[in-house]
Amino acid sequence: MLRHLFAAALLPICAALSPVSAQQSAPAQLSAIDRVWSGHSARFALQVTADRIFVAYYDANRQLTVASRSRRSADWVYHKLDSWLGWDSHNYIAMALDPAGHIHVAANMHNDPLVYYRSGVAGDVRTLTRQRVMVDPAIEARMTYPIFLHDGTGRLVFKYRDGGSGNGNEIYNVYDAAAQRWTPLLQTPLTDGEGQRNAYFMGPALGPDGYFHIAWVWRETPMAETNHDLSYARSRDMVRWERADGTPLSLPIRLSTAQIVDPVPVEGGMINNNTVIGFDPAGAAMITFHKFDRAGNTQIYVARVEGKGWRIAQVSDWQGFRWDFRGGGSLNSRLSVKGARPVGRDRIRISVIRDGKPIDFLLDAKTLARLEETPGTLLADTLAGSIAVPPGMVLNTVEDASGIALAWPTRPPNRDQPSPDIPDPGVLRLVIP
């Protein structure tokens, strides 16, 4: 199955998004890893294997650092890399292990040249060295949003945006672990904004139907309010893509050829990276997103594949709440969403965070009617009594499927602009259930 190797939201978001897992229901063990940069949030990376824990972060001096330890020992091995964080919250870290156990790290890129490292020895962080070229230096000069994932056969795949907000393309590469070489997975970009726009993707997410599903919005300029037209595609192999009804899509996908799920207009209240794929109890793909309702309030919606089309249902019914985001830079997000999750055979859970408060909606799986709206719980909330968060800061978390997590306090994003002062470093902690 496909596993994302990056904790999803790319807005970035200043509050912790990890819901409390079953493993986190009991008091967790906390241990310090290092002192880290706290001037603004930039997401760190965590990978957990059967034997080891790997973390990648920006230390107190903003230097990219990778550390690892055995799951049976508290002793860390550290390695500093030749990259330093500025003030941009887009510059998160992505990390993965390939099938041979070699470590791959990509980080600190927002319309920047490739910043990528690979270990010379499987599992050994101290053998990480910088790789100046992945596939083609001609298209590796303005890279953003690096994500590692695995395809259906276990191969390591790397995707990123080539170009800027409003005029970028989505590029996919695949890694041959035996030859230790990257090659293009696609011979063309997945999408083409034709020099006028770019696509902001969520996914691919592997569904129970064996398809990889992606959802995206188109964006006309670097200004966040210019997102529009929720779109969708699916693929068995991430090479040949099609609409929900199986009609093939020619690559690159353009606005004129894309399957439009909901034609939300510019300034319609829909933002990139808040269009998240999930699945209902029958395995049908669903997209959770938000937009303005007719009264101008921001509302949560879901779209589900039904037959050859899409059914769209309003989930929330908030009065007087309008997130009218505008401008460029990293936003201090007021609203974030997660993908739909089945609850038994007849219900669907939709989890969101509104102004830092988690909310769970329970829907009828057949009608998509709202059954309940209840407060949710975040991992950061459960840790609040154990980790002191200085005034003006939030607790960021990244959680592995095993329940092992990272937690560290930072200031929220500042539109990627320098602050007038530099706060004291925070402590990066390992959380073990």
Side-chain angles (χ1 to χ4, degrees):
M1 77 182 278
L2 177 146
R3 293 182 294 114
H4 274 286
L5 302 171
F6 159 70
L10 303 182
L11 269 173
I13 298 168
C14 67
L17 297 183
S18 302
V20 175
S21 67
Q23 296 96 326
Q24 293 288 356
S25 58
Q29 300 177 8
L30 304 178
S31 60
I33 299 172
D34 202 349
R35 290 165 63 83
V36 297
W37 171 247
S38 64
H40 68 284
S41 60
R43 190 165 292 275
F44 297 164
L46 169 69
Q47 283 291 297
V48 179
T49 70
D51 301 316
R52 297 196 68 81
I53 300 170
F54 300 86
V55 299
Y57 57 93
Y58 297 109
D59 72 7
N61 296 315
R62 310 193 196 197
Q63 187 169 6
L64 180 59
T65 303
V66 184
S68 73
R69 52 159 271 196
S70 167
R71 295 186 67 168
R72 296 174 293 278
S73 170
D75 298 329
W76 290 91
V77 176
Y78 300 86
H79 187 51
K80 305 291 185 181
L81 301 174
D82 61 342
S83 184
W84 287 262
L85 179 68
W87 288 97
D88 194 334
S89 288
H90 291 85
N91 290 18
Y92 67 81
I93 305 169
M95 179 171 58
L97 273 67
D98 66 33
H102 290 268
I103 310 159
H104 300 251
V105 178
N108 210 14
M109 292 181 288
H110 185 203
N111 296 342
D112 292 307
L114 178 69
V115 181
Y116 164 60
Y117 305 83
R118 186 171 68 237
S119 68
V121 176
D124 187 348
V125 299
R126 290 187 173 175
T127 65
L128 281 163
T129 58
R130 189 159 186 165
Q131 311 296 309
R132 299 293 176 180
V133 176
M134 180 175 277
V135 173
D136 183 355
I139 59 170
E140 294 174 357
R142 298 181 63 206
M143 300 175 69
T144 306
Y145 299 141
I147 292 179
F148 290 108
L149 51 95
H150 286 124
D151 71 5
T153 65
R155 296 184 304 172
L156 187 63
V157 174
F158 179 75
K159 78 183 192 85
Y160 64 95
R161 186 185 73 195
D162 167 38
S165 179
N167 63 357
N169 295 321
E170 191 86 349
I171 305 296
Y172 280 66
N173 297 328
V174 63
Y175 188 67
D176 185 330
Q180 297 186 7
R181 184 169 65 95
W182 290 94
T183 56
L185 178 65
L186 302 174
Q187 300 306 311
T188 177
L190 179 58
T191 57
D192 181 7
E194 303 172 276
Q196 302 177 50
R197 62 188 64 87
N198 77 283
Y200 275 93
F201 286 88
M202 293 299 287
L206 181 61
D209 56 3
Y211 282 96
F212 298 109
H213 301 262
I214 56 175
W216 72 93
V217 299
W218 298 91
R219 183 154 153 180
E220 297 297 297
T221 76
M223 302 297 102
E225 66 270 23
T226 65
N227 292 292
H228 61 95
D229 286 298
L230 178 64
S231 304
Y232 166 87
R234 70 181 188 182
S235 173
R236 292 283 188 187
D237 56 9
M238 291 189 285
V239 176
R240 292 171 290 272
W241 292 88
E242 62 188 37
R243 296 178 177 85
D245 63 1
T247 305
L249 286 163
S250 298
L251 301 186
I253 303 169
R254 298 179 172 89
L255 176 60
S256 60
T257 61
Q259 179 176 24
I260 306 300
V261 176
D262 191 346
V264 180
V266 168
E267 299 190 6
M270 183 175 64
I271 199 167
N272 51 286
N273 306 315
N274 256 0
T275 57
V276 186
I277 294 285
F279 304 93
D280 74 1
M286 299 183 67
I287 306 171
T288 307
F289 63 105
H290 58 78
K291 64 177 181 177
F292 297 143
D293 64 14
R294 292 183 178 180
N297 296 308
T298 298
Q299 306 290 0
I300 302 297
Y301 293 81
V302 292
R304 179 169 66 186
V305 177
E306 294 190 359
K308 295 185 178 181
W310 290 84
R311 178 178 182 179
I312 298 174
Q314 183 175 325
V315 174
S316 63
D317 188 23
W318 297 326
Q319 303 301 310
F321 174 68
R322 178 181 172 91
W323 182 25
D324 194 9
F325 47 82
R326 292 181 179 274
S330 299
L331 303 181
N332 189 351
S333 177
R334 295 193 62 191
L335 187 61
S336 61
V337 305
K338 296 185 69 68
R341 292 170 289 162
V343 179
R345 296 181 178 180
D346 58 358
R347 294 178 295 173
I348 301 166
R349 186 179 306 280
I350 304 294
S351 297
V352 307
I353 300 173
R354 174 183 154 180
D355 289 334
K357 302 298 183 182
I359 302 170
D360 284 342
F361 295 95
L362 203 60
L363 309 183
D364 180 273
K366 182 178 181 180
T367 66
L368 300 183
R370 182 177 67 249
L371 303 175
E372 295 180 18
E373 177 180 349
T374 58
T377 305
L378 296 177
L379 175 57
D381 296 334
T382 69
L383 298 174
S386 303
I387 299 177
V389 179
M393 292 192 180
V394 294
L395 189 64
N396 303 272
T397 63
V398 172
E399 187 174 7
D400 182 75
S402 66
I404 294 174
L406 302 176
W408 72 103
T410 70
R411 288 177 177 171
N414 190 40
R415 293 275 181 170
D416 305 330
Q417 299 301 309
S419 297
D421 64 339
I422 294 178
D424 291 335
V427 176
L428 175 64
R429 291 177 173 88
L430 185 71
V431 183
I432 298 181

